[in-house]
Amino acid sequence: MDDGKPMGAKAKWWSRPRPGGTAYPAPQDSSPAPGDAAASAETRSGAPVPHHRPDDPHHPADAPYPPSGPPAVMIPPPMSAQSPSAPLEPAVAGPSEPLAGPPRDQGRPQPLHEPDSYSTPPYGRPGPWAPAPPVQRPSPTPAHGTSTPQGTEPPAPYSAQVPSADPQPASPPQPGSVQFHYDPWSTPSLAPLTQPGEPVKGRGKGRRTGALLTGAVLLALVAGGIGGGIGAYVERNGGITQIELDQAPPDDGDRAPSSVAGIAARALPSVVTLHVSGGGEQGTGTGFVLDRQGHILTNNHVVDPAGASGAISVTFSGGETASATLVGKDSGYDLAVVKVSGVSGLTPLPLGNSDNVRVGDPVVAIGAPFDLQNTVTSGIISAKERPITAGGEKGDGSDVSYVDALQTDAPINPGNSGGPLVDTQARVIGINSAIRAADTGGGEGSQSGSIGLGFAIPINQGKRVAEELINTGKATHPVIGVSLDMKYTGDGARVGDKGKDDSPSVTPGGPSAKAGVKPGDVITKVDGQRVHSGEELIVKIRSHRPGDTLELTLTRAGKERSLTLTLGSAGGT
């Protein structure tokens, strides 16, 4: 392993600089090495060899300390005059004695360590087995023997320089410059390990800053492009995912029995829609089931187009249909009964009592306005005992009905006729029969919608008439046995002077004749209720049953009289 290498004593590293401290000189050797041209160098200052200081725990006991005076400076001889194996002797520069001999080249820095006899980088010459060591350019070393000013730190050691064919001149030292600390045992590096004072601005930091800035710009561009694409997609498609709106969960469908929904749920299965045709006419109306035998109550004007041979079709709330036949009808009450056959599972609609109704009570109307089946509307009772007349299209008065009606603001429209008006317990209190429509100027036969004025036949009257129609096919009307002057414009109902075809205006032996009513009397009250016209008197009488007893108040020759009579009976049409 030692072939071709000098076998002399290895160089000592006592002059190795300590970081942040002063380089220590090597101990003096009294026997110089033979053949060494520089071995005659001696200590110029003559300072004694320092002894071991016991107060330094890190310094070996056998290693000398440097003198307290100026630091020792290693001055190796030129490369051409020194043997590779000759060690160097340190020379101590005195503070005032200059060094003898020719001045050193100030442009070439001098190493502070002994030359490497093996020429191993970075101290010797570059070997053929390793690249050249890194080169640093410290400030030049002061000339040999130059004293170091007191109060300043000695220059820090620097790395060995590699001889170059074209050496670059060193820059002059700058005030306040700091020498690089060089560790020969560390991995060579171009960057300084430590450097006190103001940091040196290097090109590597600029490159790193530029790279970071470029990366940040590219990242911003990519993020902006991605964000723009996502925004465009969201704008065109309404979102990245399908939109789902909040919604209440389904419930069991139960409602309070007295609510409109609860009332409708109980009443709708018993309500039907009628389609009638015959004699070149057709019409649509509503009815409701009276019993399990299939009897259905409706208005007379609903089934009148069928005549004696027309067709009547019944559609139930569930969509089932059945044909029906006419049982009986009465134009004076505007009521009729039809019957369906072969239908099972019918649910009759319970009947209430119209005498118990009070103004303001809530009501629900069910029907098929304009053939829209199962339509439910709600309102209140606006008035009671409202005398109305309906019909009269035939011109002879045979189709005029007189009704002491219940008035309601529940919307009723064409097609609701014959349908039930029910209370909060889903019981029938009236049969929807007529409406007061606004004058639209549409001419004869025009129809208008509801304006909140609807009228229903009280169920007490409807029940009696329906029972008579089912049992006998005809209805009876209560009468008082007089002919009225319908052209009388005064207040009250005046008994005519003559009857039809010059017959007596007071029927002999009739209820009025027995009570003492005379022709020309003006009846003003019935059971204490004011009467303003002949139509109102008829309505009041029709609201009772035959055989009921009434108290009449009349005026005769300016005097007021009170009479009591019992209602008679007459067959209806």
Side-chain angles (χ1 to χ4, degrees), residues 395-408:
D396 57 0
S398 60
D399 62 339
V400 176
S401 60
Y402 300 89
V403 180
D404 196 18
L406 297 172
Q407 180 180 330
T408 179

Side-chain angles (χ1 to χ4, degrees), residues 241-258:
T241 59
Q242 186 177 0
I243 296 177
E244 295 184 2
L245 303 178
D246 293 337
Q247 186 179 23
D251 56 19
D252 53 8
D254 293 340
R255 296 294 184 270
S258 60

